[in-house]
Amino acid sequence: MNREQAEQRIASLRQEIERHDHLYYVEASPEISDAAYDRLYRELQDLEAAWPELGSADSPTQRVGGQPLDQFESRPHAIPMQSLDNTYNPNELKAFDRRVRQSLQTDRIAYTVEPKIDGVSISLRYQNGRLTQALTRGNGIEGDDVTANVRTIRGLPLRLRTPRPPPVFEARGEIFIGKRSFLEFNQRREEQGEPRFANPRNAAAGSLKLLAPRLVAQRPLQALFYGCGEVAGLTVESQTSLFERLREFGLPIPEGAVRVENIEEALAAIDRLAERRSDYTYEIDGAVIKVDAWSARQRLGSTAKAPRWAIAYKYAAQRAVTRVETINVQVGRTGVLTPVAELSPTLLAGSTVSRATLHNFQELKRKDVRVGDRVEIEKAGDVIPAVVRVLAETRADDAPPFPAPTHCPSCGGEVHRLQEEVALRCLNPSCPAQIKERLRHFCSRSAMDIESIGEAMVELLTEHQFVVSPADLYWLKEKEWARLREFPGLGEKSVE
């Protein structure tokens, strides 16, 4: 392959990989397998290594690169990043509408209603289609330059997906961690003896401020965009048309954003968002109402802190009161012991909750949760059921505190607290609970993705000692499989 052929192939591979990244991370509709994607990626890496002069900072292979930073530099925003006024009262939304109509001297005004994403504000600057800078909101006038970290987010294009990009386009939105990803991320931290994040927003903010981009790349960060800063060479006439441009450029936008013709329709749209709140794959904590037409926005202007053409409506925290029936201690695959409150089933945030994590025994002692207590619970980040507080006034006089265990509830071995760790651990590698959790993790979608081995099969394989380590799965002989067929509910198909 000569230089010209290499240059053509590299350009083709970059374009194809970017398209597959967009399909996978933004559209959630991949066209090829992970193995096929990896082959494309490795071919691009090999070609760029063979032809280093053809390297480019916006190549997909350069997302996770660079040395750890000493600190973040502050840089000015081309246009200030203002925050929004907010309210919890529908009547104040009507008052907002009256002010807008009086200022514009019209009886009707069209708005957009969007889900308010509970994330970290970000501004991406694209020059001639290439991502050149990413700034946090900071104080609104200047923010931290987190470009190296943002480049690691696979759902974001390093180049706008358009053949004719504008000279300057600043996309503004939120960086966040999705609900399921947050659960899995916190579980991994807990198993490693690291403190859990309280909610997805804190996790996203903490991840974005890491000084090592390679560590950031291991965090499940995502982004959605709904606004813009400086724009040159492009006309945007409304919020509705901005969404069309963002989608055209390959930048992900919030689902469920709608255009409405008046404040009554806006209030109805807010209610619909609230009803669907638990269905979103990411955390939303309200709705944002914006005047749709940008010409009207220019006439309305802004105060020193916030635009006069937009307002946020915040949803109240979703909480419920229930009773602690008992407290169990779970043993994870790395031996970490976690107290879990088993609750009287209660409806919360669209689902029935019957258990809540108490995180660790220091947290259990601090909140002083006891069996029989009535407690107030909420879904932390609307995902993980957590005990907010104990209604101590309803507690029985003879309810004893729950003691931290001195022995593993699974194997009976002594438990230890390692230096600088909060967690209690069972250090016995042959602990049945750890064996079971290691096998469950090994077979899970995020590991080997063995579809036929679910909870029931894990229980059977470990309880009857067919498997004591994941490696044993590969040593099962015909006679073991014959024995498995004898168990109720396991037919020929299950064993195959």
Side-chain angles (χ1 to χ4, degrees), residues 478 480-488 490-492 495-496:
E478 186 176 350
E480 283 91 356
W481 291 117
R483 283 181 57 200
L484 279 171
R485 294 189 185 94
E486 298 172 4
F487 288 92
L490 282 182
E492 191 75 23
V495 173
E496 285 177 4

Side-chain angles (χ1 to χ4, degrees), residues 190-193 329-338 361 405 407-411 413-418 421 423-435 437-438:
E190 193 167 53
E191 290 172 347
Q192 294 164 4
V329 178
Q330 293 184 340
V331 184
R333 64 186 172 92
T334 60
V336 172
L337 274 58
T338 302
F361 290 95
H407 292 79
C408 173
S410 177
C411 69
E414 291 186 3
V415 299
H416 305 267
R417 179 176 286 113
L418 302 181
E421 278 194 359
L424 289 177
R425 286 182 185 269
C426 168
L427 301 183
N428 175 17
S430 299
C431 172
Q434 293 183 53
I435 290 172
E437 290 302 317
R438 283 197 292 270

Side-chain angles (χ1 to χ4, degrees), residues 7-268:
E7 188 170 13
Q8 291 175 353
R9 182 57 180 162
I10 286 173
S12 174
L13 284 168
R14 287 172 181 168
Q15 186 176 9
E16 188 171 1
I17 290 170
E18 288 167 0
R19 188 176 73 86
H20 288 304
D21 281 344
H22 181 80
L23 287 170
Y24 185 91
Y25 293 101
V26 180
E27 302 293 342
S29 57
E31 288 183 352
I32 61 174
S33 67
D34 290 349
Y37 177 91
D38 290 342
R39 284 195 292 271
L40 294 174
Y41 194 87
R42 284 195 296 270
E43 183 184 354
L44 178 58
Q45 284 181 314
D46 292 344
L47 284 173
E48 288 178 341
W51 302 89
E53 68 273 21
L54 299 179
S56 172
D58 59 8
S59 171
T61 62
Q62 301 304 304
R63 283 189 181 275
V64 189
Q67 297 298 314
L69 307 173
D70 294 326
Q71 62 181 12
F72 293 107
E73 293 187 22
S74 290
R75 301 189 188 280
H77 292 292
I79 295 176
M81 287 187 75
Q82 294 183 304
S83 56
L84 295 178
D85 290 332
N86 62 71
T87 181
Y88 292 86
N89 189 336
N91 290 329
E92 291 185 5
L93 292 182
K94 294 178 180 178
F96 162 78
D97 173 63
R98 284 195 297 272
R99 291 194 299 272
V100 168
R101 288 187 289 108
Q102 288 170 0
S103 296
L104 297 176
Q105 298 182 340
T106 182
D107 291 334
R108 297 174 67 86
I109 189 76
Y111 297 102
T112 57
V113 177
E114 310 160 17
K116 185 178 181 298
I117 303 147
D118 192 15
V120 181
S121 297
I122 197 73
S123 179
L124 304 189
R125 185 178 180 88
Y126 289 88
Q127 293 181 289
N128 295 315
R130 296 175 181 267
L131 176 62
T132 58
Q133 182 175 265
L135 299 181
T136 62
R137 183 198 301 277
N139 61 12
I141 304 300
E142 60 182 19
D144 287 338
D145 188 334
V146 291
T147 308
N149 287 349
V150 167
R151 288 174 62 87
T152 69
I153 302 175
R154 300 296 291 271
L156 294 182
L158 301 178
R159 293 181 298 177
L160 296 180
R161 294 170 54 85
T162 176
R164 292 184 293 277
V168 176
F169 184 78
E170 287 188 345
R172 291 182 172 177
E174 303 285 323
I175 288 178
F176 63 94
I177 292 178
K179 293 179 179 180
R180 182 181 294 275
S181 297
F182 177 68
L183 280 174
E184 295 170 350
F185 176 56
N186 248 355
Q187 183 178 349
R188 288 197 300 272
R189 288 181 65 83
E190 193 167 53
E191 290 172 347
Q192 294 164 4
E194 298 177 346
R196 298 167 64 93
F197 282 104
N199 53 57
R201 188 186 188 283
N202 287 0
S207 300
L208 199 59
K209 298 307 288 287
L210 291 171
L211 292 171
R214 290 186 181 276
L215 292 180
V216 181
Q218 299 171 17
R219 302 289 178 90
L221 296 175
Q222 297 175 259
L224 290 171
F225 295 90
Y226 48 71
C228 62
E230 182 180 10
V231 177
L234 180 70
T235 300
V236 180
E237 298 179 347
S238 65
Q239 183 70 20
T240 304
S241 63
L242 173 63
F243 279 138
E244 293 172 356
R245 288 291 189 180
L246 290 169
R247 189 184 294 108
E248 173 193 340
F249 291 162
L251 291 159
I253 63 175
E255 57 182 296
V258 295
R259 184 182 187 275
V260 296
E261 298 301 324
N262 52 56
I263 194 62
E264 287 75 21
E265 291 185 9
L267 291 169

Side-chain angles (χ1 to χ4, degrees), residues 440-488:
R440 183 178 289 119
H441 172 74
F442 184 84
C443 299
S444 68
R445 288 187 62 189
S446 59
M448 296 302 292
D449 194 16
I450 305 176
E451 295 179 1
S452 57
I453 302 185
E455 294 289 327
M457 182 68 87
V458 166
E459 292 283 345
L460 189 151
L461 290 172
T462 55
E463 182 179 346
H464 296 277
Q465 296 188 324
F466 286 99
V467 172
V468 294
S469 82
D472 293 337
L473 288 172
Y474 299 91
W475 291 99
L476 289 175
K477 300 293 191 294
E478 186 176 350
K479 62 180 180 180
E480 283 91 356
W481 291 117
R483 283 181 57 200
L484 279 171
R485 294 189 185 94
E486 298 172 4
F487 288 92

